[in-house]
Amino acid sequence: MKIKPECAVCITRQVVDAVKEITSDEKERFKLIHEGMKKINEVYGEFIVPAFMGTSVHRHLKAVSYNNDPYKNLKESANEFAIKYLKEEEALLEDIDPLKRLKNKIKLSIAGNVIDFGPYGTDIDVTEKVKNTVSGTLKIDFSSELFDDLKKSKQIFYICDNAGEIIFDRVLIEELKKYVNVVVSVKGMPILNDATYNDAVIAGIDKITRVITSGTDVIGTKFEESSSEFIEEFNKSDIIIAKGMGNYESLTEYEENPVFLNDKENKTPKLKVPIYYIFKAKCPPIAKNVGVNEGDNILLKKSISKV
């Protein structure tokens, strides 16, 4: 998915939010925001992927501020909130019918997707958004197709999104593991509020399945920068699950323009596998691209070539 003109508002606000987390010194804030705006001016343009633009800007802020993890405190708060909420609500997700149970846990994982300081900012009412999502519906619902695919597959590659959200992901991953092996991927280094290996440990995912990292701090997924381990597990899997808008923005670019990391000379057609995008449409450009309203819950099935 390519950028839309109004994405400039979101990335500018992200710069201000990140700088507020980096320092309380007003002079330093002016300096860092100026640096961030310079970087936006450099990379903003009609042919860039929003997630990749965000990556460039947030990498620059990390470098010029000498702060490798500006969202560290917010990520810790998000994890704490998710753990507390899950203890109170997890029992309500169970259902005798396996398809309904799967759908409940997909909605919970989408509820975790609202704990996102990228599109929403750092002053959101997380509790209300989570409750509304869990009790809501899937505007695009491919849960039956996912349920059927599970029965004929051996492995899922589950690409995580944010801290906090990853706590809720664990519940869905446990459900998926009743049918298939699941390999989970998180970021190799901090970027925005994206989940890293430490967040996977806090969520307890390392106790139930294998967790790897992308080897990079790209927002979303960029195969050209991903670790060999990431590529290997992606290619071994029968189903891909991609959480969050960043993964939707980036991976949809590869649907029509596959990369040929292991076959650069011949560029032979690669086997396609189903990819399920799980997210909340949190901004007008994404909603319009998917064909839904802002705020709708999405479980979308598409296909993507192996790399």
Side-chain angles (χ1 to χ4, degrees), residues 17-248:
D17 285 344
V19 169
K20 284 163 60 178
E21 294 301 313
I22 291 169
T23 180
S24 59
D25 182 88
E26 191 168 274
K27 283 190 175 182
E28 187 65 15
R29 283 181 174 179
F30 272 114
K31 175 185 172 184
L32 292 175
I33 291 171
H34 179 65
E35 284 287 340
M37 299 295 282
K38 279 170 52 181
K39 193 65 179 179
I40 291 173
N41 186 58
E42 178 186 320
V43 298
Y44 178 77
E46 61 183 306
F47 299 113
I48 195 168
V49 175
F52 297 162
M53 176 184 68
T55 299
S56 295
V57 173
H58 284 281
R59 279 176 173 172
H60 185 65
L61 283 175
K62 289 195 298 180
V64 297
S65 67
Y66 303 101
N67 186 326
N68 188 51
D69 195 2
Y71 285 78
K72 183 176 184 295
N73 292 333
L74 287 173
K75 290 192 293 183
E76 290 174 355
S77 297
N79 285 332
E80 289 169 5
F81 165 82
I83 290 168
K84 182 177 183 295
Y85 184 91
L86 193 57
K87 284 180 180 177
E88 298 171 357
E89 303 291 335
E90 190 169 4
L92 302 177
L93 300 167
E94 296 302 327
D95 196 292
I96 294 173
D97 180 80
L99 177 56
K100 289 182 179 178
R101 189 172 62 241
L102 177 65
K103 191 179 295 191
N104 285 343
K105 295 181 180 183
I106 288 167
K107 287 197 296 179
L108 179 70
S109 75
I110 295 174
N113 190 233
V114 309
I115 312 172
D116 191 350
F117 307 118
Y120 282 144
T122 55
D123 298 317
I124 59 171
D125 182 350
V126 173
T127 303
E128 193 62 28
K129 286 185 179 293
V130 167
K131 286 182 177 178
N132 289 341
T133 303
V134 173
S135 62
T137 59
L138 295 170
K139 184 67 174 181
I140 296 179
D141 183 2
F142 280 86
S143 55
S144 294
E145 288 82 352
L146 175 57
F147 189 61
D148 289 340
D149 281 341
L150 288 173
K151 297 172 186 175
K152 54 189 178 185
S153 300
K154 293 182 179 180
Q155 178 167 300
I156 284 178
F157 192 50
Y158 193 108
I159 307 174
C160 291
D161 188 23
N162 299 325
E165 177 180 353
I166 197 172
I167 307 291
F168 295 167
D169 286 332
R170 192 203 76 230
V171 178
L172 176 55
I173 290 164
E174 287 175 329
E175 187 67 23
L176 296 171
K177 278 184 62 65
K178 295 175 181 177
Y179 305 93
V180 294
N181 181 48
V182 181
V183 176
V184 173
S185 174
V186 293
K187 291 292 182 291
M189 292 162 279
I191 190 78
L192 238 171
N193 59 318
D194 286 15
T196 61
Y197 192 84
N198 181 61
D199 298 301
V201 171
I202 291 170
I205 295 176
D206 63 314
K207 299 288 196 302
I208 62 171
T209 198
R210 183 169 173 232
V211 180
I212 68 167
T213 82
S214 64
T216 182
D217 62 349
V218 169
I219 298 170
T221 298
K222 192 170 188 178
F223 292 126
E224 294 88 340
E225 292 191 29
S226 298
S227 66
S228 58
E229 186 177 36
F230 181 97
I231 299 299
E232 180 182 359
E233 294 301 337
F234 185 97
N235 284 336
K236 282 168 54 179
S237 298
D238 306 298
I239 302 171
I240 310 299
I241 289 181
K243 287 297 303 294
M245 296 199 311
N247 279 316
Y248 176 80

Side-chain angles (χ1 to χ4, degrees), residues 1-12 14 39-55 57 249-250 252-253 283-286 288-289:
M1 173 189 158
K2 294 295 192 298
I3 196 172
K4 300 299 179 185
E6 56 266 44
C7 294
V9 176
C10 183
I11 190 62
T12 301
Q14 284 184 34
K39 193 65 179 179
I40 291 173
N41 186 58
E42 178 186 320
V43 298
Y44 178 77
E46 61 183 306
F47 299 113
I48 195 168
V49 175
F52 297 162
M53 176 184 68
T55 299
V57 173
E249 292 167 6
S250 54
T252 49
E253 286 293 295
C283 67
I286 287 281
K288 184 177 180 180
N289 185 272

